[in-house]
Amino acid sequence: MQAFKLTLFSWGRMCLAVSFLLINVCYSDAIYAQAPGSLLISGKITAENGEELPGVSVKVKGTALSTASDVGGNFKISSSGNATLVFTYIGFITQEVAVQNRTSINVQLKTDSKALDEVVVIGYGTQRKVNLTGSVASVSGNTLTQRAAPNAASLLQGRVTGLQVTQNSSEPGRDNPSFLIRGRGSFSGGTANEPLVLIDGVTGSFSNLSPDDIESVTVLKDAASASIYGARAANGVILVTTKRGKKGQTVISYRGNVARHMPTALPDLITNSAEYMEMFNAAATRQGLPATSQYPQTEIEKYRNATDRNQYPNFDNVDYYINPATVNNHNISASGGSEKSTYNLSLGYLDQNALIKGYKFKRYNGLLSYTNDISKVVTIGTSINATYKDRNEPPFTGENLTLAIYAAGPLYGPFLPDGSGRIASKAYAFEGRNRNPQEYYAMGNQSTKEYNFNGQAFIDIKPFKGLTWTTKVAMNYVDEYYKMYQKNYDAYLFQKGPTDADYTYNTFGPDILGVTDQYSKILNPTIYSTATYNTTIAKDHNVRFLAGYEQLFYKNQNLRGRRINTVAPVLTDLTGYLPGQESLYFNHPRLPSLQAPSEWAMRSFFGSANYNFKGKYLLEVNARYDGTSKVSPDYRWGFYPSVSGGWIVSEESFVKDRFNWLSNFKLRASYGILGNQDVGTYLYQDNLVINNIFYPFDNSTLQQGAVNNVFRDQSLRWESTKMLDLGLDLDIKNGLLGLTFDWFNKTTYDILASQPIPASLGLTAPTLNDGRMRNRGIELGLTHQNRIGEVTYGANALVSTARNEVLDIRIPAESGANIRKIGLPYDAHYLYVWDGIFQVEDIDNPSVPKHALNMNPKAGDLKMKDLNGDGVVDVNDRMVVDGYYPDFSYSFGFNVGYKGFQLNAFFQGVEGIKSRVNNWGIDPFMQGTAPTTKWRDAWTPENRSNELPGIYIAGYSGVANYGSSTYYLQDASYLRLKNIMLSYDVPVSLAKKVGAKNLGVYVSADNLFTITKYEGGDPERASPTGNYAQYPQAKIYNVGLNVKF
Amino acid sequence: MRHTFKIACVLTASIILGSTACKNDFLDRNPLNSISSQIFWTSEADVQTGLAGIYSRLQQNFLGYERVYLDGLSDNAYLDPGNGNQPNMQILTTGGINAGVTGAIANMYSTPYRAISSCNYFLDNIDKAPVSEENKNKYKAEARFIRALCYFDLVQMFGGVPVYRNYLKSLDEYKIAKSSQEEVYTLIEEDLDFAIQYLPNTRYNGHAVKGSAQGIKARVLVTQQKWAQAVTVLEELMSSASGLFALSNNYAALFTSAGQANAAVNSEIMFSTQYLGPVNPQRTSPGAAGMNIELGWWSMMQPYKDLADDYEMKDGLPAGESILYDPANPYANRDPRLDLTVRLPGEVWRNASGAAWTESYTTATGFLVEKYVDLSQAPFTSATATTTDQDYIHLRYADILLMYAEAKNEVLGAPDQSIYTAINQVRSRPGINMPPVDQERYNTKEKLRDYIRHEYRVEFALEGQRYNDLKRWKLAHIKLPLLKTPSNTPLVFNEYNYLLPFASSELLNNPQLIQNPGYN
């Protein structure tokens, strides 16, 4: 750590040195032009807010004479007295000013909000938004940083139609959201459904970026816009562009954010010990458990009447272990450039404390980008993004510690009541418990240190007008060092018997004793080269051609070792341990999954052609030809074409003349084919396994053997997706009302899935292309922006849907609580239908159907519907229940601005999703988990509830046997105030006094409130099934400061 | 200006070309921790590795030590229903044989095919490797020997089965109709003839040798009742056995690791599945196990009284006729092989240092398996699993002698001396010393046939042979229903149970396959 700090420091110093060098280079350029026999005109260029604008291009119209403004916005140029000067600056409306023999001309440029949006990053280039024919959404970095979440990727939530962003957890360093564009596309889970994310055109990790370093994010949703990425684009593409310097004045900016994280929702568990014990006994009695498995009345009374709450606590574990946490985020950057070069140097630091003790995450970011026009035709540049992530955790992660907190119950705290500091395991010997959370802290910890380096260099060559040849070489390198450290620890029963001399020793002990280290690294170099040619033929025919080549290589390697014995358990290094009981590549469900070393490579040729006639009729063709190492040479190359067209109706004179309020009206259509390369490596090869294969000929030495275990089909191909998209864009009165609408039909085919095979094959089942799945949906975006006097205000709303349907599947599955069958959404809920509670008179009542999974029900058990009316509730009485996928997701926001004040509010929601969740926090006494307070109203013979069964101990057959029923299904729809932010920009004049160009402060809150029917926890979850207990989601209060110098 | 441009172009072009053009194999990527077939078969060492892979298949399920459990399907022993590694095996004896039952019966089908697949893969690829013709034929002969062993297993269990002579490339090629029993036997005999021709005529030392193939061929022939051919093969084998194969001088030691390492003992072993602790013992996964633990500790198989009672008294007479028989101590003075095969009621097991091992789970029949349990390793704990590495013996010289006796008896109209000599050799081996066959008493073909079958039972008891023997003698449906399980359920063996059913999933996944009669 110390060493790293030094490195970071010296590295930072070096960067600073380089940047100062660059700044000097910028300043050394003389910025004026003069022609003989003419006026020398000088002046100052400012923005509407008075800010001096450097780097504005000033041109004498109709000549080659040009210059640019200096750091103070000043320019000098010579021209004739009757000439016209043209002022051009990106983001501002170009202005033409007639000289009229003046020698001093001051110009105020107006910002062009439309122009800002106009150029969109697309695959291997940029395009004017009006000319897009595909379904492309883009978000600016400024919009993203209106929120201040620690993870850059989660900032996309609710910002783009068709992109479902799910924040699985707020666990520090494990809060990467999952992305899904236009629904689930593949049978296999995990990354096979995730979009391709490219940082500045090459593979990288979104969450490694500092949010402040993002210039823009583009999401390519349809086949037309994504097919230029061919076999990697089936699930859509997210293009992240990082900030680069702008020609002109140096800008040093700083943003600091301090956040306070709090849990959004937690279950309301009973914390009164006597009540807890009585409820437990009631449950145990109902289930017929013997008195030895119940709390003796004497002990209950001790808790009830205790004066010493140290000895007999009503301990609130949730309150003790889950607490608000502070998160600091700082970013400082220096950017700028001369006429020939630009640079941007940015350093970021995130220090994230956790809601649950023991978790801690730190992230350090560095971004350096630099470009230089080494001649009029050649520009070179580089971009280096380095990230170091340091994550420390207890030995259990994710929901595991949360559920242990729930499971601990109120009868004991973390430590023994005698003040010795010894750890309590549970109160009484008979209790069935998880480890007391404090035991986890005593047991050890785990840590992950990840170094991430993403470096790229490019060269642009523009040999003649219209042609750009770009070549980029990039390397993504990830180096990770993981450590699990556990030692033996002591724990005792909290309650001592009257005759016991000391507390009874009682502990589960560690589960992965000793030191387990893993080193892994990923190398991922990319090279691509594209040539783009733009031209206009015969005035009306605008064409653009792109041709390119790309190759990718990926390799991962890792080494894991474990040792168990040491004389000094405090030692945390492998070498401090005895050489016995050691193993390589030791695996355990709670360790990161073992990654087999692998490599793959891709080589691709691609191209596109755009044509537009008079800016009205647009046509675009894209194609990519991809070759991969993952597929056998005979089937290796895949072709992914797309075609799209657009008609800008508003450019037609018959529309323009009549409806001049219609600023833009475009109809779009696209169709194309995409591939999914995320299919696992080596699937087509006969691979001889040598791991643990031996034969001891002669009974004295082991001969290494090799066997072929899996049948491979050489004709394996990539999964493919075809997609039709119809859309329209509408803009009324330049932003007063904007509308974007898309309808899509996306079918994935040749889905890779395991196939049933005869056992006589003698091999395990191969993965083959078989299966089809469709997603259909619509996306609608609305914007409104207006200004009344000094008040600007706006509103926007997004809605997206995606309906999933399996069209073909070789092995349907309906054995569990989820069904895979043609005509249904993949993995749809397939459940028994809960029909209230068995009442006393229902028992042995012939008109009440028999329950096959609970043949001798007790009153108070769950009752199910006999759907087919045959008198027995069995597997044939399950039905498909909606809610595995949401009906739609949506967001809407408002903004109001007055002078320097700006108020933004942004709501985000998901509708129609239902989660089937159980265990800790919802099932009473799951490993001791206290019931929630609603269980006070549980069914009893007197309280004939039809809502809650009789109190039970989790696992009780009268409830647990119908775990796959709608009883456990909860509506997880929600609408939340995702973010509200109030910011104030100090007037420029005032800011100047402190030496700043811009100064802004803000307060904001994330997830301030959530409207949901979901009980006791946060409805946003990684999966609509599984454990109810989750690492809590966070409500975040932010205070922040933006300064620009 | 033009200068910069040129340099830039040349530089860029060279970067692109440098990274692409010179690597034609850029897209050819092979696994890093397993061997791609693309890079295998390039040396003799590769071939030997592939061959070891084939042999390693013998360590699975009923091709390995668990084969002893097949005795639990016969009148020799009762299976504890709790065997998690071979689920649903016990119910096969009480009428539970049907196409829907999974577990042990599925393993009986899939395990030989796993080995066959490995053999075919090997045979289809070995010619790529630079190996001398002589060695190549030897390696092929070993693979074909194992393939024959596996098809023999399948044909005995299931009758006609799908036959694959090659490693096929497409899934559909595997979905074929079953061959007839005769066709399967044809392949088996072809393979064994090839093996006999090319395997070295040496002592057995882990690799199949000529004697292994001859012995298995003989078993294949007697199973088909091709008696005369069997006699020919066996005579050839016996005449060349001198110096290669002989009966062990210690019956008990045949079934322990230490004994199997001793030349005077292992001379009897003609083919076995081998193990070697601590890395490659009988079983450590999914849990620590193996014969010592499963038989000696967990009592997974318990001999029936019917077996114990079948052993002669020391004088060579049945218990009922001998003066040595003491009803109060019924198992005293028996054929010594009884005590070496079965733990008798009241018997206390002791290890080498004299400590008693009393932790065995209760036996419901009153008997425990002693053969193959290495008491020198007691007390058995999960830690002893890594040292449990007795080889499972598929074929031993005693088998040759008894098969010879059986076949010769069938060929001749009346028994001749060579038959008695062969049986007597087995009975009189050192440490057993049972008296010779009473030639007066067993003087006809029929009487001697029964006696040979009896000798088979006691010699090979609890080694996994009895089930197939009862079936080839067509005695299973007569013998088994006479017995009851310890919980008094009668054993069931219907006429159609001579062949096991194909699993219903197999019929689904191979539509060409037709179910065996009686199971539809």
Side-chain angles (χ1 to χ4, degrees), chain A residues 510-634:
Chain A
D511 69 341
I512 308 174
L513 184 62
V515 169
T516 310
D517 279 4
Q518 174 172 296
Y519 294 82
S520 50
K521 66 180 178 191
I522 297 171
L523 270 174
N524 191 186
T526 306
I527 295 174
Y528 72 74
S529 187
T530 61
T532 315
Y533 181 63
N534 272 303
T535 191
T536 303
I537 301 163
K539 200 171 152 207
D540 291 331
H541 305 273
N542 303 303
V543 289
R544 172 178 176 267
F545 294 103
L546 169 86
Y549 167 81
E550 178 164 18
Q551 71 174 42
L552 290 161
F553 176 67
Y554 172 95
K555 178 170 190 157
N556 74 335
Q557 293 166 288
N558 62 66
L559 176 62
R560 180 185 293 177
R562 178 187 182 213
R563 279 192 179 179
I564 297 173
N565 294 318
T566 179
V567 287
V570 294
L571 299 178
T572 59
D573 208 81
L574 272 181
T575 50
Y577 279 61
L578 302 178
Q581 293 193 45
E582 59 197 357
S583 52
L584 286 175
Y585 297 102
F586 167 77
N587 205 3
H588 189 279
R590 287 201 311 93
L591 290 170
S593 58
L594 271 177
Q595 301 291 319
S598 64
E599 50 182 33
W600 54 264
M602 270 182 84
R603 195 171 255 185
S604 317
F605 302 91
F606 51 88
S608 78
N610 295 52
Y611 168 77
N612 88 54
F613 177 67
K614 286 187 168 172
K616 274 192 281 193
Y617 309 107
L618 314 169
L619 185 69
E620 181 173 329
V621 181
N622 282 293
R624 184 159 174 134
Y625 188 55
D626 275 324
T628 177
S629 68
K630 293 180 177 181
V631 174
S632 120
D634 296 342

Side-chain angles (χ1 to χ4, degrees), chain B residues 214-225:
Chain B
Q214 286 171 313
I216 294 297
K217 171 124 193 250
R219 189 183 283 166
V220 167
L221 292 170
V222 300
T223 302
Q224 297 176 84
Q225 303 185 358

Side-chain angles (χ1 to χ4, degrees), chain B residues 199-262:
Chain B
L199 287 175
N201 193 26
T202 58
R203 279 184 68 136
Y204 170 71
N205 195 16
H207 288 274
V209 292
K210 185 177 181 182
S212 319
Q214 286 171 313
I216 294 297
K217 171 124 193 250
R219 189 183 283 166
V220 167
L221 292 170
V222 300
T223 302
Q224 297 176 84
Q225 303 185 358
K226 293 180 175 173
W227 306 113
Q229 291 182 47
V231 169
T232 312
V233 172
L234 288 162
E235 278 174 346
E236 240 179 80
L237 170 57
M238 286 157 72
S239 70
S240 65
S242 170
L244 302 178
F245 304 107
L247 290 170
S248 156
N249 66 351
N250 184 336
Y251 185 76
L254 257 178
F255 309 103
T256 65
S257 303
Q260 288 168 351
N262 179 341

